[in-house]
Amino acid sequence: MSTAAAAATQISPSQSQSQSTDLIDFVVKKGNGVTGLSQLNLKSLPHQYIQPIEERFDPTQLQTNQEEPVPVIDVSNWADPNVSESICDAASKWGFFQIVGHEVPEEVMEGVKGAAHRFFRLPVEERRKYLKGNLVNGTVELKTSFSPEKEKVLEWRDILSHFYKGEEDGESQKYWPSVSKDQVLEYIKWTKPLIKKLIEVLMKGLNVKDPIEEAKESLLMGSLVVNLIYYPKCPSPELTAGTGRHSDVSTISVLLQDDVGGLYVRGGTGSDCWIHVTPVKGTLVINIGDVLQIISNDRYKSVEHRVLVSADKTRVSVPIFVNPGLGAVVGPLAEVLEKGEQALYKQLLYSDYYNYFFSKGHDGKQTIEFAKI
């Protein structure tokens, strides 16, 4: 048995420091990730991935009554005022909704999901080329969990991040993996107009003039990050988290999920309830990020969500995080406060907010407290 496998099969919290170091070295530093762990055919979950009881998913909190499911909105006719009203209403009440009629071709969506499978099936020698520090260019990065150096407990997922700086930045994109580059760029080409339209609708709901001026567009969608997230089979899924409880620090996020399921959103009849966002072929999941909650002064709500993993199925998802530029200043918009409403949040550099989010493990919606007055 390899040193890493030996370390991985020890689940006692009293495990020696050297064994813990071996596992972290295998998973994080050598780029194997949980993809590599899953290939060891472990019989038990390494203790580094075992969530405390209070953070494990409690099935009794699952809302099974689907009388109030996550809204599904048909956006095929943007001129219909009911479309805009439904989007703004969902952003205010839910913070999450699904859209159909978005015109992103099915083959484009299937293509980018396929790219995720192909990348994480590459030999580790190929995958680790994209670890932070192995490339001089910072527009693609392979990582595992969330913030492995900061978290008390690791999450069961691997991520390939593509940082998109615009069509003119072909020099950076040439560093993207050949198995994902074309598919990610094609997906961005189709989703960018959709993202802009969604943001225009949401801004109009805040009385921001249409069309959005260039400065505001930079604030709202100054950067795009496309993640290919891979959740391999897990020996004890009930003990761990694919993604822990959190809200996104984006303006909005656009999620493409496969048919495995596992995404849960906080909501329903009580604050302790979780609702499964059941995959529906052809839909995209939209969720409001902290930035939109901040600039709307709580008119729109970001919401906690989490991902569970499976013992017998591998899951992939492709979120696009629509973020401000790191140098943008984020705070309640003047249009929101023009009638004398009191600001709930301070003006702060987005880079400070972003860095704070990644300075710790996932902790629900605690990050937004950092922005409050």
Side-chain angles (χ1 to χ4, degrees), residues 45-163:
L45 189 68
H47 78 85
Q48 292 92 339
Y49 291 90
I50 297 179
Q51 292 286 336
I53 292 175
E54 63 272 14
E55 288 299 329
R56 297 177 201 169
F57 183 74
D58 180 356
T60 66
Q61 294 180 341
L62 177 62
Q63 181 165 319
T64 56
N65 184 347
Q66 291 300 305
E67 290 182 5
E68 194 180 14
V70 175
V72 178
I73 302 170
D74 185 344
V75 298
S76 56
N77 181 10
W78 289 101
D80 183 350
N82 290 327
V83 172
S84 296
E85 183 180 344
S86 296
I87 289 171
C88 294
D89 186 62
S92 300
K93 294 179 180 177
W94 276 88
F96 250 81
F97 54 96
Q98 299 187 80
I99 58 172
V100 295
H102 46 67
E103 297 186 346
V104 180
E106 181 179 340
E107 60 268 24
V108 173
M109 295 190 289
E110 292 302 315
V112 76
K113 286 187 290 185
H117 282 288
R118 286 193 298 276
F119 177 82
F120 287 102
R121 287 172 182 162
L122 290 173
V124 66
E125 293 77 17
E126 286 296 311
R127 299 199 309 271
R128 71 164 59 108
K129 292 177 182 178
Y130 301 97
L131 287 171
K132 187 175 183 179
N134 286 357
L135 283 174
V136 293
N137 182 276
T139 66
V140 62
E141 182 183 343
L142 172 66
K143 48 193 174 183
T144 190
S145 191
F146 175 62
S147 291
E149 301 83 3
K150 308 292 184 181
E151 295 167 289
K152 294 179 181 178
V153 182
L154 298 177
E155 298 177 351
W156 194 264
R157 64 174 184 165
D158 294 331
I159 306 165
L160 182 69
S161 296
H162 303 75
F163 300 92

Side-chain angles (χ1 to χ4, degrees), residues 286-311:
I286 312 298
N287 67 279
I288 304 306
D290 287 357
V291 168
L292 196 51
Q293 177 167 335
I294 290 167
I295 66 175
S296 72
N297 212 38
D298 279 359
R299 306 273 184 90
Y300 299 138
K301 308 288 187 183
S302 64
V303 68
E304 278 184 81
H305 50 287
R306 68 199 305 173
V307 174
L308 305 186
V309 289
S310 169

Side-chain angles (χ1 to χ4, degrees), residues 130 135 137 139-140 161-165 172-182 184-185 188 226:
Y130 301 97
L135 283 174
N137 182 276
T139 66
V140 62
S161 296
H162 303 75
F163 300 92
Y164 180 75
K165 298 181 180 180
S172 294
Q173 292 156 17
K174 75 179 185 181
Y175 294 96
W176 292 6
S178 59
V179 296
S180 66
K181 175 184 173 182
D182 290 346
V184 170
L185 287 174
I188 290 171
V226 183

Side-chain angles (χ1 to χ4, degrees), residues 11 17 26 37 50 69 81 96 102 113 136 178 228 347 369:
I11 63 172
Q17 183 63 43
F26 176 82
L37 277 184
I50 297 179
F96 250 81
H102 46 67
K113 286 187 290 185
V136 293
S178 59
L228 306 184
Q347 301 284 329
E369 299 296 319

Side-chain angles (χ1 to χ4, degrees), residues 268-331:
T269 56
S271 60
D272 290 334
C273 290
W274 293 92
I275 297 174
H276 186 225
V277 184
T278 304
V280 179
K281 191 174 182 63
T283 63
L284 292 170
V285 181
I286 312 298
N287 67 279
I288 304 306
D290 287 357
V291 168
L292 196 51
Q293 177 167 335
I294 290 167
I295 66 175
S296 72
N297 212 38
D298 279 359
R299 306 273 184 90
Y300 299 138
K301 308 288 187 183
S302 64
V303 68
E304 278 184 81
H305 50 287
R306 68 199 305 173
V307 174
L308 305 186
V309 289
S310 169
D312 52 15
K313 291 183 178 180
T314 291
R315 178 183 190 266
V316 298
S317 66
V318 184
I320 300 180
F321 298 105
V322 183
N323 299 332
L326 291 177
V329 176
V330 174

